[in-house]
């Protein structure tokens, strides 16, 4: 049962189905927007540039009207709005307000395509549906953002197996709760900001999704001792000198918020459950960032920590000063003072850089947890949820199979792995042989002649030992020595997802 109430000044979700029907009838959807605006104007919206979209919606069609109202926040004539919407209901429920001889929207509504082609709608504060956080400059501290790069990244890496219970911690406008509602029997969404919970209610209702259990409060406090099969969070992870903006600043020192989330998540996970977070973390003088983050991982959990980007402290401060619009201040001294405050904070904490990335925990009963902390700034192919699930499945396999068991098993080459040979033009033999994935994490790894030959014949027919014996005969090597030295390389190919064990 939800523990929140309706927030004054925001629309009521009670008659959302009628508004949804009007949106769908007018093709006010992700595909409809692309058709109307064209690719360049559609892409410009993600950069918070609205001029191309305004030019593309100068017509008097119903879809033009809806885009101008709910996505571009332009008033439209009363009769135009009546032709596009159940107008009196929208005015009564607070979706629209009168503006002279016309009407304007009270909230942003952005069409959003679900992973299986669903037509969803993300509701957020005015000025925040287009371009994510960059649209929030000048808004109040309780502003609720729409869809941004961070939220779509988290949605893409989340494991999407069917579960009984899911928790969206710090739900914002409800994007993660909306995704979770497709594969979780019960969804709980929490936020410190009551306006965010109301926006989540609107997002779910307008998208035709089941209601969630909405709870107000900080971190895990609203859920008490409840446990879940899936926990997701795109928290206010910005490392900042204060708490000016609720959507990004936690008010906790340094990266304490992210550390607390990770450390407390273990007790809230059911066996086999996943907790997945976006996070920032400090690179502290005299400490390895990998070891620092490994110390966050709670007992009883495996972890996969991926650092996607690193910024020095000046780059980081400038990024978030631009996010809040401080770089456009009329008072240069005020901007300089805010910049100084960021650098003072970093200096006091001996922080030399900040890492960006994601952290996944998996509740495990193993006595030897798998904790991988790696830097991976290279392109990946979203969605990655299945790659995340497969990563932990491979860890389970490797820690329960010694070298002898490994050689007794059969393997297949993962789909869309290719071999590249690197060397001087005209050379008889390549200097390097590289296996490269064209899916998921898109890893690449150097292999020797044995490794390349082994991978090339892995079709699940012969076990690894018999393949190595055949390779030894071809190369004129001692098969016993080859069996002794190959399992380590084989483990790496399995760990990184180039080879998959054949499940009997």
């Amino acid at each position: 049962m939800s523990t929140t109430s309706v927030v004054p000044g925001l629309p009521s979700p009670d008659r959302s189905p009628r508004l949804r029907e009007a949106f769908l009838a007018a093709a006010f959807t992700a595909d409809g927007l692309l058709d109307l605006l064209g690719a360049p104007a559609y892409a410009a919206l993600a950069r918070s540039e609205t001029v191309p979209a305004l030019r593309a919606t100068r017509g008097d069609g119903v879809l033009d009207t809806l885009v101008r109202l709910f996505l571009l926040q332009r008033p439209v004539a009363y009769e135009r709005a009546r032709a596009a919407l159940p107008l009196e209901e929208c005015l009564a429920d607070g979706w629209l307000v009168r503006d002279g001889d016309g009407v304007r929207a009270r909230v942003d509504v952005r069409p959003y395509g679900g992973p299986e082609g669903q037509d969803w709608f993300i509701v957020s504060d005015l000025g925040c549906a287009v371009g994510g956080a960059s649209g929030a400059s000048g808004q109040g501290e309780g502003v609720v953002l729409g869809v941004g790069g961070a939220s779509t990244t988290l949605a893409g890496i989340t494991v999407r197996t069917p579960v009984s219970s899911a928790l969206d911690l710090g739900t914002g406008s409800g994007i993660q709760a909306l995704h979770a509602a497709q594969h979780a029997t019960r969804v709980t969404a929490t936020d410190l900001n009551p306006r965010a919970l109301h926006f989540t209610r609107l997002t779910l209702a307008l998208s035709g999704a089941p209601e969630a259990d909405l709870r107000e409060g900080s971190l895990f406090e609203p859920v008490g001792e409840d446990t879940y099969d899936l926990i997701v969070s795109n928290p206010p992870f910005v490392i900042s000198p204060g708490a000016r903006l609720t959507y990004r600043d936690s008010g906790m020192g340094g990266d304490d918020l992210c550390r607390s989330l990770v450390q407390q998540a273990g007790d809230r996970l059911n066996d086999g459950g996943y907790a997945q977070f976006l996070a920032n973390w400090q690179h502290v003088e005299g400490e390895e960032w990998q070891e620092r983050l490994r110390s966050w991982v709670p007992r009883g959990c495996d972890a996969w920590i991926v650092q996607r980007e690193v910024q020095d402290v000046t780059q980081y401060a400038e990024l978030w000063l631009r996010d809040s619009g401080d770089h456009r201040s009329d008072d240069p001294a005020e901007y300089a003072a805010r910049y100084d405050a960021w650098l003072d904070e970093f200096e006091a904490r001996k922080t030399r850089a900040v890492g960006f990335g994601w952290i996944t925990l998996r509740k495990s009963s193993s006595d030897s947890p798998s904790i991988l902390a790696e830097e991976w700034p290279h392109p990946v192919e979203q969605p990655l949820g299945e790659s995340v699930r497969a990563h932990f499945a491979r860890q389970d396999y490797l820690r329960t199979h010694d070298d002898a068991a490994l050689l007794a098993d059969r393997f297949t080459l993962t789909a869309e792995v290719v071999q590249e040979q690197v060397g001087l033009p005209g050379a008889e033999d390549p200097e390097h042989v590289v296996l490269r994935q064209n899916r998921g994490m898109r890893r690449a790894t150097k292999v020797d002649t044995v490794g390349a030959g082994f991978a090339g014949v892995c079709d699940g027919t012969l076990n690894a030992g018999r393949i190595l014996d055949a390779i030894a005969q071809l190369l004129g090597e001692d098969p016993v020595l080859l069996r002794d030295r190959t399992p380590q390389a084989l483990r790496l190919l399995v760990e990184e997802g180039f080879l998959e064990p054949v499940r009997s």
Side-chain angles (χ1 to χ4, degrees):
M1 179 178 179
S2 298
T3 59
T4 61
S5 56
V6 172
V7 176
L10 293 179
S12 165
D14 293 344
R15 286 182 283 193
S16 295
R18 286 264 289 154
L19 183 55
R20 174 177 171 79
E21 289 173 8
F23 285 165
L24 296 179
F28 184 55
T29 63
D31 289 341
L33 283 182
L34 183 59
D35 290 341
L36 175 67
L37 303 180
Y42 188 80
L45 285 177
R47 303 190 300 270
S48 301
E49 297 291 349
T50 58
V51 171
L54 285 167
R55 292 174 61 86
T57 55
R58 288 178 293 190
D60 57 3
V62 170
L63 183 53
D64 299 89
T65 299
L66 295 178
V67 172
R68 283 189 162 246
L69 267 176
F70 289 105
L71 201 57
L72 302 177
Q73 291 85 59
R74 294 298 192 275
V76 303
Y78 194 88
E79 291 306 317
R80 281 192 63 179
R82 183 189 294 279
L85 296 160
L87 183 56
E88 300 307 323
E89 291 180 12
C90 288
L91 287 168
D93 289 347
W95 292 95
L96 301 175
V97 294
R98 294 182 181 274
D99 187 333
D101 294 332
V103 296
R104 57 179 173 81
R106 180 172 279 176
V107 293
D108 270 334
V109 179
R110 177 172 175 174
Y112 179 71
E116 297 178 0
Q118 302 100 323
D119 290 316
W120 292 341
F121 301 94
I122 309 301
V123 188
S124 62
D125 269 312
L126 288 172
C128 297
V130 175
S134 58
S137 301
Q139 299 278 351
E141 66 173 20
V143 62
V144 177
L145 300 185
V147 182
S151 52
T152 55
T153 294
L154 179 58
I157 67 171
T158 299
V159 176
R160 296 296 176 194
T161 52
V163 295
S164 295
S165 57
L167 169 64
D168 176 13
L169 194 151
T171 185
S173 54
I175 300 163
Q176 309 308 325
L178 179 57
H179 278 278
Q182 311 309 304
H183 63 103
T185 304
R186 174 174 59 89
V187 176
T188 301
T190 72
D191 207 291
L192 184 63
N193 182 0
R195 299 183 73 255
L197 296 173
H198 191 90
F199 274 113
T200 293
R201 183 183 285 114
L202 296 174
T203 289
L204 294 174
L206 197 56
S207 299
E211 292 184 8
D213 179 1
L214 305 178
R215 303 188 189 185
E216 183 180 340
S218 177
L219 301 181
F220 289 102
E221 179 272 329
V223 302
E225 301 301 316
D226 292 352
T227 58
Y228 301 87
D229 301 314
L230 174 67
I231 299 171
V232 292
S233 183
N234 176 18
F237 52 64
V238 176
I239 300 170
S240 59
R244 293 174 58 205
L245 299 171
T246 304
Y247 73 86
R248 71 173 202 190
D249 304 322
S250 71
M252 299 176 69
D255 52 20
D256 284 355
L257 171 74
C258 295
R259 177 182 54 79
S260 296
L261 278 177
V262 173
Q263 290 179 335
Q264 295 175 23
D267 291 336
R268 270 71 177 195
L269 281 176
N270 296 326
D271 288 344
Y274 291 90
Q276 300 188 258
F277 309 102
L278 297 187
N280 280 186
W281 46 80
Q282 297 163 225
H283 284 224
V284 178
E285 185 178 333
E287 297 183 33
E288 292 293 332
W289 73 266
Q290 294 96 331
E291 291 304 315
R292 191 163 185 275
L293 266 68
R294 286 190 187 103
S295 73
W296 293 4
V297 178
R299 184 181 298 275
C301 288
D302 298 324
W304 186 17
I305 301 163
V306 181
Q307 180 167 271
R308 297 287 290 153
E309 183 181 358
V310 180
Q311 289 187 340
D312 67 46
V313 293
T314 60
Q315 293 173 310
Y316 189 81
E318 291 162 14
L319 169 67
W320 296 109
L321 287 167
R322 287 193 301 271
D323 170 82
S324 55
D326 290 305
H327 63 305
R328 293 195 294 267
S329 172
D330 294 332
D331 184 358
E334 181 181 0
Y335 175 79
R338 291 195 187 280
Y339 200 148
D340 260 336
W342 284 78
L343 298 186
D344 285 344
E345 175 80 4
F346 289 133
E347 184 177 354
R349 295 181 177 276
K350 298 183 178 180
T351 302
R352 54 182 176 80
V354 177
F356 298 69
W358 62 71
I359 299 173
T360 300
L361 305 178
R362 199 271 304 261
K363 192 68 172 286
S364 169
S365 57
S366 173
D367 294 328
S368 55
S370 165
I371 302 177
L372 173 63
E374 63 174 334
E375 187 160 10
W376 193 256
H378 313 293
V380 299
E381 183 184 57
Q382 287 274 35
L384 276 171
E386 176 55 26
S387 296
V388 173
R389 186 208 61 77
H391 166 85
F392 288 97
R394 291 193 297 269
Q395 307 313 306
D396 287 343
Y397 172 83
L398 289 171
R399 65 185 165 203
T400 56
H401 286 69
D402 61 16
D403 288 354
L406 210 63
L407 293 176
D409 265 2
R410 293 170 292 136
F411 298 89
T412 58
L413 189 66
T414 304
E416 298 201 41
V417 171
V418 297
Q419 176 179 301
E420 299 175 357
Q421 297 185 351
V422 182
L424 294 174
E428 185 173 343
D429 296 312
E431 294 179 16
H432 306 294
V433 177
V434 175
L435 298 182
R436 186 178 301 278
Q437 301 169 353
N438 286 323
R439 294 289 184 187
M441 293 294 285
R442 293 180 172 171
R443 296 187 187 277
T445 188
K446 285 200 305 184
V447 292
D448 59 12
T449 303
V450 173
F454 185 94
V457 297
C458 274
D459 61 0
T461 304
L462 300 175
N463 68 37
R466 292 186 63 185
I467 292 174
L468 289 177
D469 290 345
I471 292 174
Q473 185 174 3
L474 285 173
L475 298 179
E477 292 198 28
D478 184 332
V480 175
L481 293 178
L482 191 59
R483 279 175 173 251
D484 284 345
R485 68 178 173 87
T486 301
Q488 183 176 356
L490 178 55
R491 283 184 180 279
L492 180 63
L493 291 175
V494 173
E495 181 178 6
E496 294 192 340
F498 291 93
L499 296 178
E500 289 286 344
V502 175
R503 309 293 180 180
S504 23

